[in-house]
Amino acid sequence: MQTLLQDLRFGARMLLKQPSFTLIAVLTLSLGIGANTAIFSVVNAVLLRPLPFKEPERLVMIHETNLPRFSEFSVASGNFLDWQKQNTTFERLIAIGGTVNILTGADEPKRLMGARVSDGFFATLGVAPQLGRTFLPEEDQSGRGNIVVLSHGLWQRAFGGNPAVVNQTITLDGQSQTVIGVMPAGFYFVSREVDLWKPMAFTPQETQDHGGHSFFVFGQRKPNVTLAQAGADLSVIAQRLTEKYPETNAGWNVKLMPMQEYTVREIKPALWVLLAAVGCVLLIACVNVANLLLARAAGRQKELAIRAALGAGRSRLVRQLLTESLLLALAGGALGLLLAGWGVDLLLSLAPANLPRISEVSLDSRVLLFTAATALLTGLLFGLLPAWQAARPHVNETLKEGGRGSTASRELTRSALVVLEVASALVLLVTAGLMMKSFWRLLQVNPGFTTDHALTLSVFCPKVGTPVPLGPATVEAAMLSVLVSSPEKNTHPTPVVGVQG
């Protein structure tokens, strides 16, 4: 320990004696480590961290499939109910159906995205409400669905965060609904756009519907049941349904996917590619610093030769030089962590709204451990070869004035590092070029119609017969938004109006 402290003190003094070299090396490393830390924080939150639900490894997303037409499709309500009754591998199967609701009672009606959920939805996910309660089993019955649970976002926007909203009635689609609970901030399942949840309460028609594929289904596997076993169980049931309902179920089967994989499958390849790209940046930084260390070592040959002549072994010299490299790496890691904090904020501001789990991105303990490990590995990576080369001084030749005993060896090593640096930069350049080319092609996809100066306006109408105060102010505001958003040079914009209801 005493020797290590001595090496650290000596290494720090040597680095402080050359502030320009130290500053350049630390900045170079901090950029590489900071970029890797920022991207890894996203990879960690989105891909590596378990889903924030109870026993997420047991959660499975279930689709119906009809190859080769549909590799994944939503589930028919009648099939879901038969799966519930006949399966032996799931503790719970949950169905989710999307809704569009109109909230009235304020100055202007509000369009809300809702979800109908079957019994056990919140219990399966293991998430408790912030206020009130969630649905009881007996409330998931036809005719008893006039209750809602609000999202935290809707509670804040529409009700000002007033806790007295629980047990109050609100008007959705012209019908009175009782608010029984409010979910905590950050809770969402599959979609962050859901504003409220209602009991599924299947109608008699839905219980017999085996052809209308309208619901998402997920399940919680029983302990010690594998994904393959659960898939085989549901496949057997699907075959029975095909025999019983050939008109609607012929050719349909099931497809299971772990919930973690389903959540991130679209963004997963892009994040790994991005992490590999910034890994190349760190590799280039390491090669640059290694070249700097080789150049610096050339001016320390006499110092090292004198230490060798006084009895310092090669391992002792390598240890001293590696200590200096690790000090540089740790300083670069500390500065890189600071840069990573800014980088994470930048990534969050630029991230698309549909990026899953983006709200969970942070510099947590795993990210800090990654940064420390990256800094130590980086110090060894760029410091070992220069230290090995510099710790082989030809004592006699070096101590003679003008001695050049190991110059050829060092030049050969530096040349190899330069080749590695150029090759890494070329790989990174080609990768970035291909990614930009793909991105540009996606932007240039021809939709099949002229899009110049064409705008869209969606109007969602409630159910027929529901009185909603859709007054002139609402229509005027909607049309005004179309006119304001149109290009200035287009004095006669062409709105494309989609009516849904």
Side-chain angles (χ1 to χ4, degrees):
M1 180 61 68
Q2 185 64 30
T3 304
L4 176 60
L5 292 176
Q6 180 182 355
D7 288 344
L8 290 173
R9 286 194 297 268
F10 181 77
R13 287 199 303 269
M14 294 299 296
L15 292 176
L16 291 175
K17 285 177 62 176
Q18 296 179 303
S20 298
F21 162 80
T22 303
L23 180 62
I24 293 174
V26 169
L27 288 177
T28 301
L29 292 173
S30 66
L31 291 175
I33 294 176
N36 277 267
T37 301
I39 298 301
F40 179 78
S41 67
V42 179
V43 171
N44 174 55
V46 177
L47 302 184
L48 303 181
R49 189 183 298 166
L51 293 173
F53 305 130
K54 181 180 68 176
E55 298 181 287
E57 69 281 356
R58 292 168 56 192
L59 297 179
V60 179
M61 200 71 184
I62 307 171
H63 292 91
E64 290 197 278
T65 176
N66 193 328
L67 299 177
R69 293 187 299 162
F70 308 115
S71 60
E72 290 180 5
F73 214 72
S74 51
V75 179
S77 53
N79 293 344
F80 163 74
L81 292 173
D82 283 325
W83 293 353
Q84 271 192 326
K85 296 173 184 176
Q86 300 180 33
N87 89 87
T88 59
T89 54
F90 286 90
E91 285 193 355
R92 284 194 182 100
L93 287 177
I94 308 297
I96 307 172
T99 64
V100 177
N101 305 103
I102 304 297
L103 174 67
T104 56
D107 294 336
E108 289 289 340
K110 295 181 175 62
R111 180 176 64 89
L112 305 178
M113 302 302 295
R116 297 167 61 197
V117 295
S118 61
D119 176 42
F121 172 77
F122 296 105
T124 302
L125 299 179
V127 181
Q130 179 175 333
L131 296 175
R133 64 175 179 87
T134 55
F135 308 125
L136 301 176
E138 58 268 23
E139 293 170 335
D140 188 21
Q141 297 178 12
S142 180
R144 299 196 59 183
N146 293 330
I147 52 177
V148 295
V149 173
L150 306 181
S151 70
H152 189 274
L154 178 62
W155 178 52
Q156 293 291 327
R157 295 193 314 270
F159 304 98
N162 184 3
V165 72
V166 176
N167 296 324
Q168 289 188 356
T169 59
I170 61 176
T171 303
L172 288 178
D173 301 332
Q175 298 181 353
S176 295
Q177 307 280 336
T178 302
V179 177
I180 64 170
V182 176
M183 296 307 293
F187 169 75
Y188 73 94
F189 184 78
V190 178
S191 173
R192 284 192 295 269
E193 297 180 357
V194 175
D195 296 307
L196 56 87
W197 295 267
K198 302 176 64 176
M200 178 63 72
F202 283 122
T203 64
Q205 293 78 12
E206 288 175 327
T207 60
Q208 303 300 320
D209 184 6
H210 291 270
H213 298 262
S214 306
F215 299 91
F216 291 99
V217 173
F218 74 97
Q220 183 184 51
R221 289 180 285 124
K222 292 181 178 179
N224 302 320
V225 171
T226 66
L227 187 68
Q229 291 171 335
D233 183 25
L234 291 185
S235 292
V236 171
I237 300 173
Q239 183 60 37
R240 292 184 201 145
L241 295 178
T242 297
E243 296 171 358
K244 187 175 181 179
Y245 308 104
E247 302 85 2
T248 57
N249 287 56
W252 290 94
N253 207 325
V254 296
K255 177 180 179 180
L256 279 64
M257 183 180 299
M259 186 61 67
Q260 177 93 11
E261 182 68 21
Y262 175 80
T263 304
V264 302
R265 58 179 179 168
E266 294 183 358
I267 195 64
K268 183 177 181 179
L271 286 181
W272 284 124
V273 169
L274 191 57
L275 186 61
V278 296
C280 291
V281 173
L282 181 59
L283 178 60
I284 294 173
C286 290
V287 175
N288 280 329
V289 176
N291 276 320
L292 291 174
L293 287 175
L294 278 176
R296 178 170 176 264
R300 300 181 62 183
Q301 286 301 300
K302 284 193 176 182
E303 171 204 334
L304 297 175
I306 291 173
R307 296 184 65 178
L310 292 176
R314 187 175 186 182
S315 61
R316 181 72 179 82
L317 296 178
V318 169
R319 187 174 65 189
Q320 175 60 54
L321 295 174
L322 277 180
T323 301
E324 297 177 18
S325 299
L326 290 175
L327 284 174
L328 283 175
L330 291 175
L335 182 57
L337 188 61
L338 179 62
L339 295 176
W342 297 335
V344 167
D345 293 338
L346 179 62
L347 289 174
L348 293 180
S349 66
L350 298 177
N354 61 347
L355 182 64
R357 311 184 68 184
I358 191 64
S359 60
E360 302 176 35
V361 176
S362 63
L363 299 179
D364 60 10
S365 57
R366 182 182 291 183
V367 175
L368 296 178
L369 182 61
F370 170 83
T371 304
T374 302
L376 292 175
L377 182 62
T378 299
L380 292 174
L381 185 63
F382 73 73
L384 187 58
L385 185 57
W388 187 260
Q389 287 290 320
R392 295 189 302 171
H394 296 263
V395 178
N396 292 332
E397 292 83 350
T398 303
L399 292 179
K400 293 178 182 178
E401 187 172 355
R404 303 179 181 272
S406 59
T407 301
S409 176
R410 290 197 303 273
E411 289 300 326
L412 180 61
T413 303
R414 292 181 63 184
S415 299
L417 287 172
V418 170
V419 171
L420 178 61
E421 178 183 359
V422 173
S424 302
L426 182 61
V427 170
L428 179 61
L429 181 62
V430 171
T431 302
L434 290 175
M435 293 177 67
M436 290 302 297
K437 182 178 180 181
S438 299
F439 180 70
W440 175 253
R441 286 186 173 180
L442 286 173
L443 292 178
Q444 301 303 312
V445 171
N446 185 3
F449 56 88
T450 302
T451 60
D452 293 342
H453 312 308
L455 305 177
T456 63
L457 171 66
S458 296
V459 177
F460 291 86
C461 299
K463 296 179 180 178
V464 176
T466 301
V468 174
L470 189 63
T474 305
V475 177
E476 181 181 356
M479 295 307 298
L480 182 61
S481 67
V482 172
L483 296 174
V484 169
S485 62
S486 63
E488 293 182 1
K489 63 181 180 180
N490 182 24
T491 55
H492 300 285
T494 307
V496 180
V497 180
V499 180
Q500 302 185 24

